[in-house]
């Protein structure tokens, strides 16, 4: 399993980013950061792998958002909502742009931006672009 440091560079927009190692956890904390609607969606998932993916997708998006606005975890995360539409995460918050991806099968990386941006994911050891996308 790899170890990652993530960072962003931008001009003219705010960006938040988060990366988490996907590992089995107890789900007893979800009421602290998911709305009742999202908890109901979570509870309808049957497979533990689907629950882990959903958990880490929502968690990393919310943490990235809280970093983008400069609040960190000092905010009510249940008020921040994301949905998956056409393979893209969308925010109920309005004008923010989201992207979430799996990195090497063991990590979930999410990025939130205040404007549409082009993203290059670069492996700094090899100086190779791993993925390019727009949000």
């Amino acid at each position: 399993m790899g170890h990652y440091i993530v960072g962003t560079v931008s001009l003219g927009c705010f960006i938040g980013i988060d990366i988490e190692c996907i590992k089995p956890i107890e789900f007893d904390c979800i009421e602290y950061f998911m709305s009742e609607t999202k908890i109901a969606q979570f509870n309808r998932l049957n497979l533990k792998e689907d629950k882990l993916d959903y958990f880490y997708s929502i968690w990393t998006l919310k943490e990235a958002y809280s970093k983008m606005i400069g609040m960190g975890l000092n905010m009510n995360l249940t008020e921040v909502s994301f949905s998956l539409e056409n393979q893209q995460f969308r925010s109920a918050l309005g004008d923010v742009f989201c992207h979430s991806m799996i990195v090497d099968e063991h990590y979930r990386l999410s990025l939130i931006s205040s404007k549409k941006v082009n993203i290059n994911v670069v492996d700094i050891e090899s100086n190779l672009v791993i993925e390019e996308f727009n949000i």
Side-chain angles (χ1 to χ4, degrees), residues 3-61:
H3 298 281
Y4 294 92
I5 297 173
V6 295
T8 64
V9 177
S10 69
L11 299 172
C13 73
F14 296 101
I15 293 179
I17 193 166
D18 187 48
I19 189 167
E20 299 283 339
C21 180
I22 299 169
K23 57 188 174 199
I25 59 166
E26 296 298 321
F27 298 114
D28 54 356
C29 62
I30 63 173
E31 71 266 3
Y32 296 108
F33 71 93
M34 284 188 197
S35 68
E36 289 181 20
T37 303
K38 296 299 180 190
I39 291 171
Q41 288 175 344
F42 176 84
N43 287 333
R44 283 194 292 273
L45 298 171
N46 293 321
L47 298 176
K48 184 143 183 145
E49 295 81 19
D50 291 341
K51 287 183 181 248
L52 274 174
D53 186 56
Y54 187 86
F55 174 88
Y56 282 106
S57 297
I58 298 300
W59 176 256
T60 57
L61 284 164

Side-chain angles (χ1 to χ4, degrees), residues 55-74:
F55 174 88
Y56 282 106
S57 297
I58 298 300
W59 176 256
T60 57
L61 284 164
K62 288 184 180 215
E63 192 164 340
Y65 177 79
S66 69
K67 291 174 182 178
M68 182 190 77
I69 65 170
M71 292 289 292
L73 298 178
N74 295 319

